[in-house]
Amino acid sequence: MAIPKDHLLKNIRVYWLAFIVYWGIVLFGYDTGIGGGVVNNAYFQQHFGLFNADGTKNTKKVNDVSSNVVSVLQAGAFFGALGSAPISAKIGRKYTLFTFSLVFVVGAILTTVASSPTTGLAEIYAGRVISGIGIGAISAVAPAYVSECCPKDVRGRITGCFQIMVAVGVMISYFINFGVGIHIQSGVNIWRIPFGFQLVPAGIMCIGLLTVKESPRWLASVNRNQEAIENLAYLRRESVDSEAVLHEMAEIDAAIMEEREARKGLGIKEAFFGKGNFVRFVIAFVIFLLQQWAGQNSVNYYAPQIFASIGFTGTKNSLLASGIYGVVKVVATAIFIFFGVETLGRKLSLFISAMGMGTLFFIVGAILKTHPPPATSANVASPTPSPASQGMAAMLYIYVCFYSMGWGPLPWVYVSDIFPTRTRHYGLALASSSQWLWNFVVSKVTPDMITNLGYKIFLMFATVNIGAMATFSLLIPETKGRSLEEMDVIFGSITAEQRQADINKRERVLDKGAGDEAHSEHSEKTKV
């Protein structure tokens, strides 16, 4: 549906803020996708001593370095995401993002300047950890910042772009690696260009953040109400005494007061083990454990190696196949977020997604077993991929469509649905920690699994998809169209009968209040 021109202009400052902040999300996607392709380059391997004395590739060393380059980013992100919460609450969303963008830039520079065969890998590892700290914080704070600044009518459209921007970043990383792999055969630029390109979105974000306003909701939460009203009026392109601005500010204040009241006296024991709470935290932890073992991140981080393993040998073939995979993921994610997320419901989307992914992985594993490709290195002479290899690539492209319609974007949506205000901050913190923890584990072990398991890696992921993820999808309750208040009934915090009794009691109080007010007005008129 087209956005009216006057509506677009009215929210132009919100769109500008989202445009600037979401460069950090593009950076998040780019950084997670770039490492595997860089380490897979033959010159990189030779320069950093990953070849045997006879000139052949040392597969174990390559796997170790590849897994380290990718996984240390996730390790840094784990701590960055956890550390960002108190910092963001203390200094605000804007300056938290600016600070961690600078942290990221330091890491990116360190990975870019690395060149010595003896110390270069250590510099790359250190740079990736530092970059990871920045990425983890940015990925945690950016969506909250954008959401808090958006008006209700465009919030869904803008915040829904998070997953799309991640996919765009991954896609760009694939094509940067593709361009470098084709046009540069040797020299330090093989890693300096891909790693150096990180500074482009990071630089745009750092400079752009100087042009945007702080979140009105955060300002109100630290009792800087006048600044909050001024920033809200600026974002809405209204005057500070506008009725619409004052009404929205009143809503923000009311929500903050309700949140403070809801969390008053909340301890960890009650948060995790209170009636109906523990199962929600189990779901939040397990849903991200399963998401990371869906197989998508293994393909995401090590796409050139994965496509080489199914017969797309040679730098050009493996990297181009990876780039096409990135394009398909962007398109599929965008279509689902804009048209499908509220149509099928959470459970059905997750179930169809898991069954589709598992079926396609079983097909890929079966073809790879019966029609193995002649070579498994991405850097040898590149014959035309066989029909079997082309078929397996097509299955992976369809696979990522199924991932994008369920297990890609929906875990965050589902976790946001199930927690009440009182325990939401604990729930989202646990979910974020689970995501980065299992992200680290999967990225660390994938290179060895590709080498040691061969076709069995696809059968393993297929079994996880159908045996665990599809079953899990059927066991969790549906949340589409249910209010946060209904979640307490669904998870057993309170019975439906007790909730209805409380509602009836509250309605009687409100009716009585309205009746008393009407009676008072009538009495005043009678006196007159």
Side-chain angles (χ1 to χ4, degrees):
M1 186 170 68
I3 304 170
K5 186 177 179 182
D6 59 339
H7 187 70
L8 179 64
L9 292 175
K10 180 171 178 56
N11 291 311
I12 191 70
R13 288 167 179 165
V14 174
Y15 285 109
W16 172 252
L17 182 144
F19 171 76
I20 293 300
V21 171
Y22 275 158
W23 276 105
I25 306 306
V26 172
L27 195 59
F28 169 36
Y30 181 87
D31 229 41
T32 55
I34 200 69
V38 169
V39 179
N40 201 50
N41 185 281
Y43 180 80
F44 180 95
Q45 296 167 0
Q46 182 181 6
H47 183 81
F48 289 109
L50 307 184
F51 276 34
N52 295 315
D54 60 0
T56 59
K57 181 172 75 173
N58 186 317
T59 302
K60 185 180 185 311
K61 281 187 179 180
V62 170
N63 287 349
D64 288 344
V65 171
S66 188
S67 67
N68 288 340
V69 167
V70 175
S71 65
V72 293
L73 181 86
Q74 324 301 332
F78 175 83
F79 293 104
L82 290 181
S84 67
I87 295 172
S88 174
K90 183 72 174 175
I91 69 173
R93 318 304 189 212
K94 172 181 172 178
Y95 289 107
T96 300
L97 285 176
F98 186 78
T99 301
F100 280 101
S101 296
L102 294 180
V103 170
F104 176 86
V105 166
V106 172
I109 291 173
L110 202 54
T111 55
T112 303
V113 300
S115 62
S116 167
T118 54
T119 63
L121 280 179
E123 291 171 2
I124 290 174
Y125 293 157
R128 293 282 283 179
V129 171
I130 295 169
S131 294
I133 293 170
I135 283 292
I138 290 169
S139 68
V141 176
Y145 183 27
V146 171
S147 178
E148 289 173 1
C149 293
C150 288
K152 294 175 185 176
D153 52 346
V154 297
R155 183 177 296 143
R157 183 185 301 124
I158 294 178
T159 55
C161 291
F162 178 92
Q163 282 289 340
I164 299 172
M165 293 300 103
V166 173
V168 167
V170 173
M171 179 188 71
I172 293 172
S173 75
Y174 290 161
F175 280 106
I176 292 284
N177 272 334
F178 176 62
V180 169
I182 286 180
H183 297 292
I184 302 176
Q185 303 305 316
S186 62
V188 293
N189 285 339
I190 280 173
W191 61 89
R192 282 189 172 171
I193 291 175
F195 286 145
F197 187 80
Q198 300 170 105
L199 295 168
V200 175
I204 293 173
M205 187 177 176
C206 282
I207 296 169
L209 281 170
L210 301 176
T211 70
V212 300
K213 298 284 187 181
E214 181 56 86
S215 159
R217 195 183 189 288
W218 177 79
L219 289 169
S221 73
V222 293
N223 300 317
R224 291 161 60 178
N225 286 5
Q226 186 56 38
E227 287 180 71
I229 292 174
E230 290 170 0
N231 283 10
L232 187 62
Y234 173 84
L235 289 167
R236 302 296 179 263
R237 300 185 73 193
E238 299 271 3
S239 63
V240 291
D241 55 359
S242 158
E243 186 178 336
V245 168
L246 294 176
H247 177 72
E248 188 173 351
M249 194 66 225
E251 284 186 321
I252 291 171
D253 283 336
I256 290 170
M257 288 176 63
E258 289 167 4
E259 229 171 76
R260 285 174 180 164
E261 191 63 32
R263 293 178 182 176
K264 192 179 290 182
L266 178 68
I268 296 219
K269 184 176 179 181
E270 183 203 336
F272 284 89
F273 300 105
K275 190 175 181 183
N277 286 351
F278 184 69
V279 67
R280 301 189 220 202
F281 283 99
V282 171
I283 289 174
F285 184 83
V286 173
I287 199 169
F288 281 103
L289 184 160
L290 293 175
Q291 185 203 46
Q292 299 308 309
W293 284 100
Q296 198 280 331
N297 276 349
S298 294
V299 181
N300 216 28
Y301 298 150
Y302 303 102
Q305 293 93 317
I306 290 283
F307 280 101
S309 75
I310 63 171
F312 282 75
T313 55
T315 300
K316 182 175 180 179
N317 283 339
S318 63
L319 292 176
L320 181 58
S322 305
I324 295 170
Y325 179 87
V327 172
V328 173
K329 185 180 178 185
V330 170
V331 173
T333 303
I335 290 172
F336 178 72
I337 284 173
F338 286 123
F339 302 108
V341 70
E342 293 297 341
T343 304
L344 295 173
R346 318 294 191 235
K347 284 186 68 164
L348 186 58
S349 293
L350 290 170
F351 179 74
I352 294 173
S353 174
M355 292 299 294
M357 290 189 296
T359 301
L360 290 161
F361 267 150
F362 270 129
I363 294 171
V364 172
I367 297 175
L368 190 56
K369 168 65 175 171
T370 57
H371 296 76
T376 57
S377 169
N379 297 292
V380 297
S382 51
T384 302
S386 67
S389 294
Q390 294 174 25
M392 286 186 278
M395 294 300 104
L396 288 179
Y397 296 149
I398 300 171
Y399 157 84
V400 81
C401 294
F402 277 104
Y403 176 83
S404 299
M405 70 162 286
W407 280 89
L410 280 185
W412 277 117
V413 175
Y414 192 86
V415 168
S416 298
D417 285 344
I418 64 176
F419 286 102
T421 301
R422 187 166 173 81
T423 58
R424 181 181 301 272
H425 55 312
Y426 284 119
L428 295 181
L430 179 74
S432 179
S433 302
S434 177
Q435 182 206 29
W436 287 116
L437 172 65
W438 295 109
N439 211 325
F440 167 77
V441 172
V442 169
S443 60
K444 179 66 179 168
V445 301
T446 293
D448 284 330
M449 288 198 302
I450 295 172
T451 300
N452 298 329
L453 295 181
Y455 75 92
K456 295 174 188 173
I457 189 173
F458 296 105
L459 302 184
M460 181 197 75
F461 285 135
T463 304
V464 172
N465 277 282
I466 293 176
M469 294 163 65
T471 304
F472 180 83
S473 305
L474 296 176
L475 294 175
I476 59 176
E478 178 59 75
T479 62
K480 179 196 169 191
R482 311 297 287 270
S483 69
L484 290 179
E485 289 69 33
E486 288 178 285
M487 293 300 142
D488 288 335
V489 177
I490 291 171
F491 287 99
S493 295
I494 191 170
T495 64
E497 293 77 13
Q498 181 62 51
R499 174 54 59 84
Q500 190 58 50
D502 291 342
I503 292 172
N504 293 340
K505 180 180 177 182
R506 185 62 184 158
E507 284 177 341
R508 285 195 296 272
V509 171
L510 293 174
D511 288 341
K512 185 177 184 299
D516 290 345
E517 187 177 335
H519 178 71
S520 175
E521 287 179 3
H522 179 71
S523 299
E524 289 294 328
K525 287 178 182 177
T526 304
K527 287 178 184 178
V528 174

